[in-house]
Amino acid sequence: MKSFTSRAMIYGLFTLFGLLCALPNVLPESVSNKLPAWYADNTLALGLDLRGGSHLLLEVDTTELLNNDIRQLASDLGEAFRRDRLAFSIQVLSPTSLQITAKGAAKNSQTIATLRRVAQSLNTLDDSSGPRFSIKQDQDLLTLSMTDVHRERLISDAVERSLEVVRRRLDETGLVEPSITRQGVDGILVQMPGVANPQEIRRLLGTTAKMTFHWVVDGQPRNIISVPAADQQTLYQLESQVAMEGRHIRDARLAFNPDSGQPVVNFKLDREGAELFAAMTRANIGRPLAIVLDDTVITAPVIRSIIAGGSGEISGSFTAHEASQLALLLRAGALPAPLQVIEERTVGPDLGSDAIAMGISTGLLGAFLVIAFMCSIYGRWGLIACVGLSINVALIFGALSLLGATLTLPGIAGIILSIGMAVDANILINERIREETRKGKPAFSAMRAGFDRAYSTILDANITTLIAVSLLFLFGNGPVKGFAVTIAIGLLTTLFTAVAVTSLLMEWRVRRMGRQPLVIPGNRLLDRLTGKPLDLMRGRLMGLSLSLVLSAGSLALFFAPGLDYGVDFTGGTLVEVQAPASSVERLRQSLQEHGLERAAIQESGTAGQYLIRMTMENATEVVTGAPVTSLKLAVSAIDAEASFPRVDMVGPKVSSNFVEASITAVLLAAAGMLLYLWLRFEYHFAMAATLTIVLDLAKTIGFFVVTGIEFNLTAVAALLALIGYSINDKVVVFDRVRENLRMTPDKPLLQLLNESITATLSRTVFTSLTTLLALLPMAIAGGAAVASFALPMLFGILVGTSSSVFIAAPILFYLGQRRLRRGEAQLRPSAEQLRKELELRP
């Protein structure tokens, strides 16, 4: 073992690094301005739920994308066949397949073979990443189907190009620090701090802005397309062949025509475009040239002379704002495929600042209650634990800052929960040291033995919790992922501070004590109760029966009346309204007058505060945002001063994905912990813990139904956090059972379980109390934003703690008895036992 000094230096440097990473978050601006930017900017970004803003989840319209690609393939094939003078017909069957048929007298096997050969010549991508399509022949028919490789490449490329176009468009608007990231296979997540009404951004991002130039039909060309004018009154007959693409426009600006004074868009072409424009206008003087934007003719001026300067003017019935937006779109470039809004969430700045104030106040109060409890129970040793706890919290902020993480309201909840769970490690250590001291060991030996015995338990408990948290990260959305990251970092820093900070401080204190005995105070009442084994297993049948009845009742409540699902799962719209001059009756009447009869109104909080929910009739409502626009008009009609602090719109695709992801996360969490406990303990230990968790979750679902708390993604986070917490509690008890089984394998199982539960009872009670104290302020003062997390967690802590004693242990007893009847050992031999057996063999 390394010397105390060397360990102190290594751990101290690591801790100092973490604290320095966290420091920029609390420095005043006057000090930050004097520091290097690379260090001063290493701060936590606040999520939209804390600083206000809008969140749009956009989906690339892959159907349109694939349709365009298959039509382009049909066009390419047609040109190739005509060059070879082949008689054919092409029919597009779907967005991913088409059919080629030989025609006329040339309909023979040789012609089919030639068609196949020509088609195959177009079947290689430019980057040679695989074939574009597969070819299937059926007599005189050829069926071409898009390959999965090409489809995935097409979608990925479209998303990447869309990301860049969206970024350029938002940069052009002057938005401050928009966050644009890829989400899943075909999604783009746009977060815009400070944007309280994203309707203008919706229109900006929902416009494809694909501009092309086409000649108006003059004579009888082979292919003609009909395109309406912007006023929908005129239908233009245009040549289908694109004369020039809009990608050649390198700049576009709002201007005003000097003759008419009307707003216009002046554009400049790149070098290639200027040469092409000059050549095409030279050859077509006197012909109208249509400028088409997203399948609409904006204008169709007649070319009077050669345009050789590489610039032009787009005129139409524009307002100045419309011309400015068009210029912006042309500068940013066209989207490769349409984007559709499938989820929108908006938080007003006042609501965000309230959330920050709530998070800070409830977090500080929770931390104070935990520190006061630890000091009152363990005295100066509790103070050492609190120093380690404070450093632990600072390290969490340092790690989050270093990772560039975004702090959300669920993230603050995660930090508060981490405080409660981090105390568990210190309680385990203190209780273990007290046990070793009662055995008569000297101070240093008791401390070292207590740490050694506690650490394996801490490791097992934290790993099982990490399994649940990791799945929460994989299957959750942004804010829930923030919660998962916070909890995961908190668990890792807890392992470090338990080994480094707490261990070193206690060792330093013990070294200064000299020959004095190591005395760690505790709770006298619990000490008297646990002085001899309690016969807690006597109530095993009653405990199991009561749990089964409550769980069955909860499942019945789940089916009827059922959970109050939030829009995360049902889809639809939820709007928080503050309209002091209104009432429920006036709101309902105004909503009905605006065609929103299906809106449900719920009073929330103070007078004049309402939650309005609207079910979704189709996905188009989320794409257009029309229900929210109508709702705001209806509310403003009766209260002009009304505000809308929060807007949530979730489309059917997103809500169905949430349901699937939530179920998958819970099932995988249970399976992952079952496997880990099976490997670390035995099958019947793992099964007892898993069955108990199922009963705990069932009762928590019943709690949601009875209390009417909304079941949303935050509630799923609470369930997964509860799984982690509850399994943590079971691991501590089971670890002591395993230890006692190895020391006294012949002792009756019922007696051994009573002794193990009694030995860990102090830790179980103290850990539950500290976690309750950490969460209690948030549950009382957190409001609706965290109600779906804090209140179920409080209930879950009570259920999880009691189930470790009255449910998990009895199930383990019955499963253990079953193993005994089969003649099986309760535990597999440890490595030490195997080594001794080998030594005894001749």
Side-chain angles (χ1 to χ4, degrees), residues 330-524:
L330 294 178
R331 288 196 303 273
L335 290 166
L339 292 178
Q340 296 181 344
V341 177
I342 58 175
E343 181 184 359
E344 175 190 326
R345 299 180 190 270
T346 301
V347 176
D350 292 339
L351 193 61
S353 60
D354 291 345
I356 294 175
M358 181 278 297
I360 293 175
S361 58
T362 56
L364 289 176
L365 182 56
F368 172 77
L369 291 175
V370 170
I371 290 172
F373 177 81
M374 290 294 289
C375 291
S376 66
I377 293 295
Y378 294 119
R380 60 188 178 187
W381 303 102
L383 183 61
I384 288 176
C386 292
V387 171
L389 179 64
S390 302
I391 294 175
N392 187 21
V393 173
L395 291 179
I396 292 174
F397 278 100
L400 290 172
S401 300
L402 193 63
L403 294 172
T406 298
L407 185 63
T408 61
L409 193 56
I412 292 177
I415 292 174
I416 295 173
L417 181 59
S418 294
I419 292 172
M421 297 178 72
V423 174
D424 180 46
N426 292 286
I427 292 174
L428 272 170
I429 291 168
N430 285 341
E431 291 300 317
R432 278 293 195 173
I433 293 174
R434 294 181 71 217
E435 287 183 33
E436 299 300 324
T437 302
R438 284 196 291 265
K439 293 177 183 178
K441 290 185 179 181
F444 193 84
S445 298
M447 187 202 71
R448 183 51 51 202
F451 266 97
D452 291 342
R453 290 183 179 278
Y455 199 70
S456 64
T457 307
I458 294 170
L459 188 65
D460 283 336
N462 284 1
I463 288 177
T464 51
T465 307
L466 274 173
I467 291 173
V469 168
S470 62
L471 292 165
L472 188 59
F473 177 81
L474 290 174
F475 294 99
N477 72 343
V480 176
K481 281 188 175 182
F483 170 80
V485 169
T486 304
I487 289 288
I489 291 175
L491 292 172
L492 296 175
T493 54
T494 295
L495 290 172
F496 170 75
T497 52
V499 172
V501 180
T502 307
S503 174
L504 282 174
L505 288 175
M506 293 189 78
E507 186 175 338
W508 169 77
R509 185 72 186 87
V510 169
R511 287 176 183 273
R512 294 190 60 188
M513 289 171 56
R515 296 180 178 274
Q516 297 179 35
L518 176 57
V519 179
I520 298 180
N523 183 274
R524 293 181 181 179

Side-chain angles (χ1 to χ4, degrees), residues 33 294 346 355 361 370 602 623 737:
N33 292 337
D294 291 341
T346 301
S361 58
V370 170
Q602 174 188 344
V623 175
V737 173

Side-chain angles (χ1 to χ4, degrees), residues 127-187:
D127 58 2
S128 301
S129 61
R132 295 174 66 183
F133 50 83
S134 60
I135 303 176
K136 181 181 178 182
Q137 183 174 344
D138 183 12
Q139 296 181 356
D140 61 339
L141 296 177
L142 292 178
T143 303
L144 276 60
S145 301
M146 187 182 296
T147 61
D148 291 339
V149 171
H150 181 57
R151 181 178 180 278
E152 291 169 5
R153 174 184 176 276
L154 202 62
I155 293 173
S156 179
D157 178 67
V159 173
E160 291 300 324
R161 287 191 290 147
S162 298
L163 279 169
E164 186 57 34
V165 173
V166 168
R167 187 172 289 112
R168 288 201 299 267
R169 289 185 183 182
L170 293 180
D171 287 345
E172 289 280 353
T173 65
L175 278 180
V176 179
E177 298 179 357
S179 170
I180 306 156
T181 55
R182 184 167 181 170
Q183 187 96 339
V185 176
D186 56 2

Side-chain angles (χ1 to χ4, degrees), residues 577-802:
V577 177
Q578 290 182 351
S582 66
S583 64
V584 173
E585 292 74 18
R586 292 182 65 198
L587 273 177
R588 183 172 290 111
Q589 181 180 352
S590 184
L591 290 171
Q592 289 174 351
E593 291 172 356
H594 284 77
L596 300 175
E597 294 84 358
R598 67 182 189 278
I601 306 171
Q602 174 188 344
E603 291 184 286
S604 172
T606 58
Q609 189 170 353
Y610 308 93
L611 287 177
I612 300 179
R613 302 169 191 264
M614 292 182 289
T615 57
M616 184 185 307
E617 293 185 351
N618 53 66
T620 307
E621 293 184 351
V622 178
V623 175
T624 62
V628 172
T629 303
S630 299
L631 185 147
K632 289 182 177 180
L633 289 173
V635 175
S636 299
I638 59 174
D639 188 348
E641 301 299 320
S643 61
F644 308 91
R646 174 186 167 204
V647 176
D648 289 345
M649 294 183 68
V650 180
K653 179 177 180 180
V654 175
S655 59
S656 63
N657 288 344
F658 284 157
V659 173
E660 294 172 6
S662 300
I663 294 173
T664 303
V666 173
L667 292 178
L668 287 179
M673 288 184 289
L674 176 65
L675 179 62
Y676 179 80
L677 292 175
W678 191 351
L679 294 174
R680 285 288 291 160
F681 292 84
E682 287 288 347
Y683 173 74
H684 58 308
F685 282 80
M687 185 55 67
T690 304
L691 291 175
T692 307
I693 292 296
V694 171
L695 294 173
D696 289 349
L697 287 178
K699 289 189 278 287
T700 307
I701 293 294
F703 175 80
F704 273 101
V705 178
V706 171
T707 58
I709 295 174
E710 182 180 285
F711 193 82
N712 49 30
L713 280 182
T714 308
V716 175
L719 289 181
L720 286 170
L722 171 61
I723 290 175
Y725 177 86
S726 187
I727 204 71
N728 183 307
D729 206 55
K730 275 78 181 157
V731 166
V732 172
V733 176
F734 287 178
D735 184 76
R736 184 58 66 94
V737 173
R738 179 178 59 181
E739 180 183 322
N740 288 340
L741 277 171
R742 284 178 176 160
M743 289 192 300
T744 55
D746 297 329
K747 184 175 289 187
L749 186 57
L750 198 62
Q751 180 184 347
L752 188 142
L753 286 169
N754 276 323
E755 291 176 358
S756 301
I757 294 170
T758 303
T760 57
L761 191 60
S762 295
R763 173 264 160 201
T764 299
V765 172
F766 290 163
T767 296
S768 299
L769 283 174
T770 53
T771 310
L772 283 169
L773 289 173
L775 287 173
L776 191 60
M778 176 171 280
I780 295 173
V786 292
S788 296
F789 173 83
L791 294 176
M793 274 302 301
L794 289 180
F795 175 81
I797 289 168
L798 296 175
V799 169
T801 301
S802 59

